[in-house]
Amino acid sequence: MSLRADTPPTTRVRRFTRAERWVHRTTAVLMGVCVVTAACLYVPQLAELVGRRELVVRVHEWAGLALPVPVLAGLVSRAFRADLRFLNRFGPHDRLWLRAALRRDKRRAARPAGKFNAGQKVYTAWVAGATLVMLGTGLIMWFTHLTPLMWRTSATFVHDWLALTIGIVLAGHIGMALGDPEARRGMRTGAVSREWAEREHPLWRP
């Protein structure tokens, strides 16, 4: 008998439902469209390569306007609402995780985590807040006749610099995902290995 036949199959546990994966993918696509179109509007080399600035502006505006829609639609899912509650709650173990991260202590025992670790919670809260600010400032820039010049100037300043920050944060998020194939598999298929769950999220009880 071969070694492959003797080896027991890896136990997999459910991490995300189909609705949760749909919310993540749709939000990622819309965010990606916003970032790419923003780059085409602000980087001269890309602007010259793409052309059709008016079309790029319209795609950027409508993608930004649609950005909150997947999350709002996902609220019909009980599992998605439960995950939002997990993401919105910080416990003593999250403070331990953050302190270990700041000290660059990579020991697993120093970074206890439930279904989501403290870094994921901070990232989610930051992106949610940044999206709302971008939506608000974008609407001010879009409907220029509704607000005074000072508001439009301030909105443009905040929108532009926050967009740059979002690009950097998203690059970090993608880099973290690329470094964890099992986490990506969980988002792609909805299931992860029990060994990974116990190692990375020891306080999670799936």
Side-chain angles (χ1 to χ4, degrees), residues 51-152:
R52 305 191 67 177
R53 181 179 178 84
E54 187 65 25
L55 176 61
V56 175
V57 169
R58 292 293 167 257
V59 172
H60 182 80
E61 291 172 340
W62 284 105
L65 196 62
L67 199 52
V69 173
V71 173
L72 296 176
L75 292 176
V76 302
S77 166
R78 182 180 301 177
F80 182 68
R81 295 197 304 272
D83 276 356
L84 287 182
R85 287 193 292 271
F86 286 136
L87 286 165
N88 197 39
R89 293 176 181 171
F90 272 75
H93 60 282
D94 292 311
R95 289 190 285 273
L96 290 174
W97 194 100
L98 288 173
R99 282 199 291 267
L102 291 174
R103 296 195 307 267
R104 297 189 178 183
D105 185 349
K106 296 183 179 181
R107 293 176 302 156
R108 299 299 179 188
R111 297 192 180 193
K115 184 174 184 180
F116 302 102
N117 62 46
Q120 292 167 327
K121 293 179 180 181
V122 171
Y123 169 80
T124 302
W126 189 90
V127 167
T131 299
L132 292 177
V133 173
M134 293 295 283
L135 181 60
T137 53
L139 288 172
I140 292 174
M141 295 164 63
W142 191 352
F143 300 101
T144 56
H145 61 285
L146 297 179
T147 56
L149 177 60
M150 182 178 295
W151 287 28
R152 299 196 301 271

Side-chain angles (χ1 to χ4, degrees), residues 147-184:
T147 56
L149 177 60
M150 182 178 295
W151 287 28
R152 299 196 301 271
T153 303
S154 300
T156 302
F157 177 84
V158 172
H159 197 88
D160 291 352
W161 282 102
L162 186 55
L164 177 61
T165 308
I166 289 174
I168 295 172
V169 172
L170 285 178
H173 177 68
I174 294 171
M176 294 290 290
L178 291 175
D180 195 338
E182 190 63 23
R184 296 201 312 275

